Amino acid sequence: MKWFHLSDLHLGKRLCEVPLLSDQAHILSQILALTAEERPDGVLIAGDVYDKPVPSAEVVGLLDDFLVRLSRQGVPAYLISGNHDSAERLSFGGRLMAAGGVHVAPVYSGRVEPIVLADQYGPVHLYLMPFLKPAHVRRFFPEASIESYTDAVAAVVSAMEIDPAVRNVLVAHQFVTGSVRSASEEVSVGGTDNVDVSVFDGFDYVALGHLHSPQWAGRDTVRYCGTPLAYSFPEAEQEKSVTVVELKEKGTVSLRTLPLTPLRRLGELRGTYEELTCRQFYEGTDYQSRYLRVVLTDEEDVVDAAVKLRMVYPGLMQVAYDNHRTQAAGVPELESERRSPLELLEEFYEGQNGQPMGDAQRQLARELMEQIWEGEV
């Protein structure tokens, strides 16, 4: 049985307030061309289908078009909601859509029932588990002690009553301990959303979503496929792809990737205004066709820098400065995107009060943030 593993489409995402809908439509069409060529038995979409819980009509139409074209190819789709999605909205009409080959994980209600498939090697049990927090799970397991994300996912998996004699595949959207985040992801409070990979031991393959860089998580059958597009400038040089999963007899899983080519790549340029606008610098390059972040090293601000630079680089998204002034002000480039909310709060507190947070204040802030993160307040 062969599947395409996708995740984190983030349809409707804007980068530096620039909409990426045409770029996303391009990459979805490319994926459809690959499904027509490879003829997979299904497409697994591991959450964060949309970038916001309430997507616009245009964004919903883009997903609708993709799923309709998949259905016309005779390729089923299997979707779960991620932390950016509204599970209720995404799963609306799911039981009706299943008849057309579009299977959407319902809102978690205490059990995840498998979709039973089969090929020449026997049955495959496919489990679609939407993004879960401990707060989502506790009421269904009143006798269990569910304090962490690992506890929550372990309880949900134990209730699946997995048959070890058959091949079992899980689609999930969680952060597995030890995995590597990228700059375009939502950062939790102090790593509270960590899930230990051991909770997935009963599965032959785990198709993960949530992290934007393709990577294995603990073992080579637990995998993040990554986003189909780069959604932050640090991801600019990543090669985005579709992960192809092939299951044969029990215990035999093979993986390969199919490269995806974006409509416009991301890039970053650094230098003085004079250097970057010199014809000899950019002629013969692809800078003018890229979405760009420009870091100017001029000591004095350039008047209307973005307007002027956009005449040379039409895809300019952002202009920043890296000079003595910004360095003295302690504004490290992109650093805030990589730090947790608690670290940012500590920095703000120290800036406002002239002294660092105390241990008791830090603990109180952490507890409140964790409650907000889990949706308990």
Side-chain angles (χ1 to χ4, degrees), residues 22-40:
S22 60
D23 303 83
Q24 294 175 326
H26 170 83
I27 217 71
L28 291 180
S29 293
Q30 199 171 132
I31 292 167
L32 287 164
L34 291 172
T35 58
E37 180 181 334
E38 290 270 338
R39 304 303 302 168

Side-chain angles (χ1 to χ4, degrees), residues 236-256:
E237 300 308 317
Q238 282 184 11
E239 291 300 324
K240 299 297 185 177
S241 62
V242 174
T243 294
V244 183
V245 186
E246 296 190 63
L247 272 66
K248 294 185 179 179
E249 64 274 7
K250 177 77 174 178
T252 303
V253 182
S254 64
L255 303 177
R256 57 191 171 92

Side-chain angles (χ1 to χ4, degrees), residues 64-121:
D64 179 68
D65 180 68
F66 176 67
L67 295 176
V68 167
R69 291 167 70 185
L70 263 185
S71 180
R72 287 174 179 166
Q73 289 185 14
V75 179
Y78 303 91
L79 297 80
I80 65 167
S81 54
N83 57 299
H84 279 249
D85 299 307
S86 162
E88 293 81 3
R89 289 185 174 88
L90 189 65
S91 62
F92 175 78
R95 287 176 292 177
L96 289 172
M97 290 191 291
V102 178
H103 305 266
V104 186
V107 176
Y108 183 69
S109 59
R111 283 187 65 82
V112 177
E113 298 294 342
I115 299 170
V116 180
L117 307 167
D119 61 11
Q120 67 267 39
Y121 299 102

